[in-house]
Amino acid sequence: MSMPIVFMFSGQGSQYFQMGRELFENNPRFRLWMNFCSKIVEDLIGESLVDIIYYRNEKSEKFDRILHSNPALLSIEYSLSRMLIEKRILPDCLLGYSLGEMTAAVVSDALTIEEGLVFAVDVARTLEESCPIGAMLAIVDSENIINSYSEAFANCTVSGRNFENNFVVSGLLDDVLRLQHFLESRNVLTHRLSVKYGFHSEVLENVSEELKRLCCSLNFRRPRYPVYSSVESSKIEEYSEEYFWRVIREPVNLMNAVNKIEKSGSHIYIDVGPSGTLSTSVSYLLNKNSSSKKIEVINQFGKDIEWVSKLESQLTTWLVS
Amino acid sequence: MKTIVFPGQGSQSKGMGAELFKKYPGLMEKSNNILGYSIEDVCLNNPNGNLNKTEYTQPALYVVNALSYYEKLESIVEKPDYFAGHSLGEYNALLAAECFDFETGLKLVKKRGELMSKAPKGAMAAILNSSKEEIEITLEKNNLLEIDLANYNTLSQIVISGDAEQISQAQAFFQEGQTLYYPLNTSGAFHSRFMKPAREEFKKYLNEFSFNDPCTKVISNVTAQPYEPGCVVENLSSQLSSGVRWYESIFYLMKLSPSMSFEEVGNGEVLSKMIAHLEEDYTNQVSSGQVTIRMDSSQKYSGSATGSSDHTDSEKKFEKASGSIAQVEKIQEWMSASTIQPQSETANEKVKKWNSSLPVGSVVKSTMKDYGELKTRTQAIILFGHRAAVYMEGYKGYFDLDELTPVHKKI
């Protein structure tokens, strides 16, 4: 039996210092690609990305400086993809979540890795220069609670729909903190993402001109693999000019994207991000009757090598049996 | 001494030339008349993604390179002694050296772009951290004979070009050690034998024009030497189906004068980055004294044997050159490429021995990691020109023979 493979790329919030450390130390191919990306980024920001991720910061520190986290996430996901592709684990289609859509565009060869990293850095600079500080909050409850507590949600916008009883809101920092405090007092589980900007919401409005300009200057080629997106209703065969502006500004809808993929049959979903967050989301999104599988390449608990070999043997079982 | 260099395909970006187009309305009008569409629109608005289609990319880059040069001329202090251009950029080098006028050059690149866009399907990929010799050996050993080396950008960045299927197969053989395989999203196998029909047709077209000899020296992509008199047609047509010998061209210029400076004129700085790498490569080579760069008609570099003390010295230097270690390691390997041969013989022996005792379907175990019992699904083969390997049922990747031990089933 052969199931098509989906590579999934997570977005802001899934990054952490030391991500992929064990692979970086032990897998020469992963290390090569990371160094390759790091060098490109160093030309752009004047600092070594590898130093930032592995040699300067403890895992427990918050990794939320976007000038670093944006290119770091893209580099990690890209390097993991190259490592898998070199192991002949090839994607049949791609799925990106927020910034992960940039990884999808690069892995599909619609953009080069240089173009992707330049974009990630330019967006980060624009936000750091002129975007008010915001926040993103994941909420473990039904979206209906917005109606119940409309006042508390007043200045926050739904910016992501992950799966049932798990959604994300964005807003200005104070508004999000107030909401978080309120929800905690009501025993609603929340989790602040490591992001200092209110992506996918009107908090970005005063940098919208500049962001739009950056997005529209991307020069796409035809993607090599079909790309599923959470802002487009069908899979992408050709990127449109304003596509990444929509990715940044419109809410993410993972539910829709996975439903779209599932409609075309069972798939193996590989989370090629650093945290396994999408893999978790997918397990909630899959229909009980679906024979689709999900797995991650690495996660924040370390033991990367073990995870990678687990991935290889699982794939063998799924693809061969 | 000074060289001006012009970039080729890959240097385009949306929005390029915006200020220049306003500055040279006359030339823009001429361009639009020759092309039959607005090149400004292609560069600034990229309708239908045309900027990445070679029939548009080439005129666009030619115009932007040319206007950038005209603008440069207004403020130029030191007259350049040499021009060179990467692939399409060579047209701008010839234009700057007054071999032809702006309109003629545009007609040529228009034709060139059209011919290249119609060329049969092919593919290209960049191979990083591997030398010309290593790449050639690997391709030959693995029977990937429909692939040519297309761009010799730096010692450790070479582009291969050829049959799409084989380019894709080649990936498996360029992911060992420090080597990286980076697929390029192009429509055809440019600068390869697959462009020969286009070359012939282009030659006919070129013969309809007459050309002056360069009034300033231009380095040819085909020969990595200055243009000889009367060679424009020959060089420009050959260039379509032969490799761009960029690093040799730059080394040639560096060798001419220790004070040679390079200036890139056009969009972006892709060549400046390459030249920065090449400057490191060149310094390392010259200072280690290990390599004689022959600048005569011979196309090859030759490594000379050196004592071990020299070697240690150069290794130290390599360590100091931050960020370029991978590249430098490659140079070392490249200089000792001949050592690949004996290694592959032992690999040959291993494969022979394996295949004589362990037929397909044999049960073996890995000594490196516990995969349980593995069953071979192929005969042992040599990968990457030196690795003895075999494939297992249920596994996509190869296993090294060295890590495997046969399992003798109890009866």
Side-chain angles (χ1 to χ4, degrees), chain A residues 5 29 32-33 36 39 43 78 82 85-90 109-110 112-114 216-222 224 241 309 316 319-320, chain B residues 12-14 45-46 51-52 128-129 171 174-185 273 277 323-324 327 369 393-397:
Chain A
I5 289 177
R29 302 303 303 173
L32 265 175
W33 285 110
F36 177 74
K39 215 161 175 212
D43 283 347
Y78 178 73
R82 295 310 309 180
I85 289 170
E86 289 185 356
K87 286 176 184 287
R88 309 302 299 153
I89 299 170
L90 305 175
D109 288 329
T112 65
I113 182 66
E114 289 91 339
C216 291
S217 69
L218 289 169
N219 185 10
F220 298 104
R221 281 153 227 101
R222 205 182 154 79
R224 223 181 265 268
E241 187 175 51
S309 60
T316 308
L319 290 168
V320 174
Chain B
Q12 71 273 16
S13 66
K14 197 178 154 194
N45 306 316
N46 189 21
L51 187 53
N52 280 326
L128 310 182
N129 302 330
Q171 169 159 9
F174 294 106
Q175 46 191 39
E176 276 292 290
Q178 303 279 308
T179 306
L180 300 177
Y181 172 102
Y182 192 93
L184 302 176
N185 203 337
K273 284 179 186 167
H277 278 292
S324 68
Q327 239 175 325
K369 204 162 70 176
E393 281 184 9
Y395 288 87
K396 286 185 173 182

Side-chain angles (χ1 to χ4, degrees), chain A residues 241, chain B residues 13-18 21 28 32 35-51 56 60:
Chain A
E241 187 175 51
Chain B
S13 66
K14 197 178 154 194
M16 67 179 182
F21 300 145
M28 291 312 289
N32 296 346
L35 296 170
Y37 57 86
S38 160
I39 200 72
E40 182 171 357
D41 182 46
V42 171
C43 293
L44 303 186
N45 306 316
N46 189 21
N48 307 315
N50 282 348
L51 187 53
Y56 294 96

Side-chain angles (χ1 to χ4, degrees), chain B residues 121-132:
Chain B
K121 267 202 145 202
M124 298 173 82
I127 308 295
L128 310 182
N129 302 330
S130 195
S131 71
K132 169 180 179 285

Side-chain angles (χ1 to χ4, degrees), chain A residues 18 25 34-35 51 63 76 89 104 128 130 152 165 197 201 231 244 246 275 283 295:
Chain A
Q18 307 297 334
E25 282 177 355
M34 279 302 285
N35 283 331
D51 273 1
F63 192 178
I76 282 275
I89 299 170
E128 286 194 349
S130 18
N165 296 334
Y197 303 94
S201 80
V231 296
F244 269 91
R246 294 182 55 206
S275 296
S283 60
I295 194 163

